[in-house]
Amino acid sequence: MSTILANVIGGEHVLAADGRTSPLIDPVTGEQAGTATVSAAPEVEAAMSAAAKAFATWRRATPARRQDALLAIADGLAARAEEIADAECRETGKPRAAMTGEEIPMCVDTLRFFAGAARHLEGKAAAEYMDGLTSWIRREPIGVCAQITPWNYPLMMAVWKIGPALAAGNTVVLKPAESTPTSTAILAEVAAEALPAGACNVVLGDRDTGRLIVGHEVPQLISITGSTRAGIQVARSASADLKKLHLELGGNAPVVVFDDADIPAAVEGVIGGAFLNAGQDCTAGSRVLVHSAVHDAFVAELAKKAAAQRTGLPSREDADFGPLNNADQLDRVLGLLERLPDHAKVHTGGHRVGDRGYFIAPTVISGLRADDEIVREEIFAPIITVQPFGTEAEAAELANGVPQGLASSVWTTDHARALRMSAELDFGAVWLNNHGALTSEMPHGGFKHSGYGKDLSAYSLEDYTRVKHVMSSTG
């Protein structure tokens, strides 16, 4: 096989006809660790043609056939777990234990969930809503789905995309992030063994490749997980052809800690929720709001725990997290730290670690205000900001006072307060006395600038279907 990572189109490895490639950079060292093809119009056209051709047959596949295929893909991923972990750790720098112990098992579980969900579509009962006429609902696949995934969880986000799309009878053209394509290419190889040729295609490339995919006339649905800026650009492009959109965009999760909370548990929850994957998680609990009565003690304990977090190589068994993914992200985060207002207080961290790779020290910052840049922006780094509040109403106002609306958590021993806050918080997920737990059976998706559409759960499967009303005369 070529040393250049290739597209997987129609079940075959395909390099860009013009020979363009891009380097794959190891974020641990900042040095090149591989090379990937960069696709242009011919490769995008080939993938769309393959997906359209496969849709003609895959849409007719029985739910049992789709289930078998998804179960086979799940088994194939499990069989290639070590190879996938090698590839993803090389391109993300995340701890290997996170891949083998958490992410790959969840990917396998998600595919198995959608395998079962494929056989359990729901809809209104057939009935006579007019005399002499019977109505019923058909849920049908939409068609070819164009999907774009980010670099923070390359394999997991690809699985979240293809799982519901294939379960519903659609076919896929997916573009992974330019810096982290290898695990997704392996997924496409596994899928090709279980699916009709062209049902699941992976096209590698840069932003220009993504624009070609989004702007192509064939896809009937565009799905992207990425930044709010990227989602807005995709929405503008897709609107020209009235394509359906499925957007899972940036987050800026508040963690609301009341004075009656179990403070040690809340501190541990914040540490786990904010530093997971070096904070490069759209649900990262990096924006902490703490009742003024316990603010100072909470910050002191949080800073102590944060300072003990370990960043290091993927092979380091005691590493809590790895580097940021790329040089651009490092520069962006360092810029946020350099522009901190005078009233901000850095308790620990606040700097780059070493001069090789893209490591940031675990950081805790207090003294911030609601309109500060680092509070309003999604940080996507191992950085925690802390703000005080006095009342329940103020906590809700501060929590909701950002453009994003993906996830949130509340820490309190008052059950009634927890229920009130869960209703007041304008976020697609509210965790009570925990932060960040995900399960295949429950939906993941946000409001406002965090986009719309759900990943995971039966709600995601519904997003990848269209509803048709059929009415028949009974006379």
Side-chain angles (χ1 to χ4, degrees):
M1 184 181 292
S2 171
T3 56
I4 300 174
L5 186 68
N7 302 308
V8 180
I9 298 174
E12 302 293 333
H13 292 100
V14 178
L15 294 173
D18 63 5
R20 285 184 63 211
T21 62
S22 64
L24 300 175
I25 304 300
D26 182 345
V28 169
T29 64
E31 299 173 356
Q32 184 170 349
T35 305
T37 198
V38 176
S39 301
E43 293 74 48
V44 171
E45 185 64 40
M48 293 298 175
S49 296
K53 182 178 179 180
F55 179 65
T57 55
W58 184 243
R59 66 179 300 192
R60 304 297 183 193
T62 64
R65 167 72 180 92
R66 298 175 199 166
Q67 179 186 51
D68 288 344
L70 288 167
L71 289 174
I73 297 170
D75 291 345
L77 282 190
R80 297 179 69 174
E82 295 300 319
E83 178 187 359
I84 291 168
D86 287 342
E88 191 146 318
C89 291
R90 184 170 59 248
E91 293 172 4
T92 65
K94 65 181 60 178
R96 187 180 180 84
M99 281 299 300
T100 58
E102 299 172 20
E103 293 185 33
I104 294 175
M106 183 176 183
C107 289
V108 171
D109 178 75
T110 298
L111 287 167
R112 289 175 176 162
F113 167 79
F114 282 115
R119 302 182 72 165
H120 191 60
L121 284 176
E122 295 184 348
K124 288 183 178 292
E128 290 70 44
Y129 299 99
M130 295 180 67
D131 292 339
L133 296 166
T134 298
S135 290
W136 65 90
I137 295 296
R138 287 179 55 86
R139 277 200 176 270
E140 300 178 339
I142 294 171
V144 175
C145 298
Q147 302 177 321
I148 298 175
T149 53
W151 42 254
N152 57 334
Y153 293 105
L155 178 68
M156 188 182 297
M157 294 301 98
V159 165
W160 286 16
K161 297 295 186 196
I162 73 165
L166 294 171
N170 303 287
T171 55
V172 168
V173 175
L174 186 150
K175 191 194 88 67
E178 184 177 4
S179 62
T180 55
T182 304
S183 60
T184 306
I186 295 172
L187 172 63
E189 292 173 356
V190 171
E193 297 176 1
L195 296 166
C200 183
N201 307 276
V202 167
V203 176
L204 312 183
D206 54 17
R207 290 180 180 178
D208 289 338
T209 311
R211 293 187 186 100
L212 289 171
I213 289 172
V214 172
H216 199 279
E217 62 183 10
V218 164
Q220 296 300 299
L221 179 145
I222 308 293
S223 177
I224 178 174
T225 297
S227 68
T228 297
R229 174 189 55 77
I232 291 172
Q233 291 174 349
V234 166
R236 284 173 177 163
S237 176
S239 67
D241 202 24
L242 293 179
K243 290 181 171 68
K244 186 176 180 179
L245 290 172
H246 185 278
L247 307 176
E248 201 279 273
L249 309 177
N252 192 356
V255 178
V256 183
V257 182
F258 286 93
D259 54 345
D260 65 346
D262 180 335
I263 298 302
V267 169
E268 291 294 337
V270 170
I271 292 292
F275 293 150
L276 177 69
N277 202 35
Q280 298 170 125
D281 189 308
C282 55
T283 66
S286 57
R287 187 166 61 97
V288 181
L289 310 172
V290 184
H291 192 280
S292 56
V294 294
H295 174 273
D296 291 351
F298 186 93
V299 170
E301 184 64 17
L302 185 65
K304 177 182 176 182
K305 293 284 187 180
Q309 289 283 293
R310 299 169 296 271
T311 184
L313 303 177
S315 58
R316 181 176 168 179
E317 293 185 1
D318 64 346
D320 295 297
F321 59 86
L324 301 184
N325 179 257
N326 55 74
D328 288 344
Q329 178 65 3
L330 176 67
D331 290 343
R332 176 183 168 277
V333 170
L334 291 176
L336 287 171
L337 292 171
E338 291 168 0
R339 295 190 298 274
L340 283 175
D342 293 339
H343 52 263
K345 180 179 180 180
V346 178
H347 294 265
T348 188
H351 57 83
R352 182 179 182 180
V353 176
D355 56 5
R356 188 168 182 258
Y358 311 134
F359 294 92
I360 290 285
T363 299
V364 175
I365 307 169
S366 70
L368 294 164
R369 300 168 185 166
D371 59 351
D372 287 334
E373 178 188 26
I374 202 166
V375 170
R376 295 189 62 78
E377 291 286 328
E378 181 181 31
I379 302 173
F380 237 54
I383 297 173
I384 298 170
T385 67
V386 187
Q387 300 168 258
F389 68 84
T391 66
E392 190 174 309
E394 184 184 6
E397 181 180 2
L398 287 170
N400 292 333
V402 295
Q404 306 88 353
L406 183 59
S408 59
S409 67
V410 179
W411 298 76
T412 178
T413 55
D414 185 331
H415 182 65
R417 170 183 282 157
L419 294 183
R420 289 194 301 270
M421 288 297 294
S422 71
E424 290 297 323
L425 290 173
D426 197 13
F427 297 84
V430 181
W431 290 292
L432 303 179
N433 296 314
N434 73 97
H435 191 100
L438 295 172
T439 179
S440 299
E441 292 83 356
M442 288 290 108
H444 175 77
F447 311 142
K448 303 189 296 186
H449 281 200
S450 292
Y452 42 84
K454 299 298 182 184
D455 288 323
L456 303 175
S457 80
Y459 294 100
S460 178
L461 185 64
E462 291 180 0
D463 282 348
Y464 282 93
T465 66
R466 65 184 188 183
V467 174
K468 178 185 287 183
H469 169 219
V470 181
M471 180 180 280
S472 174
S473 171
T474 56

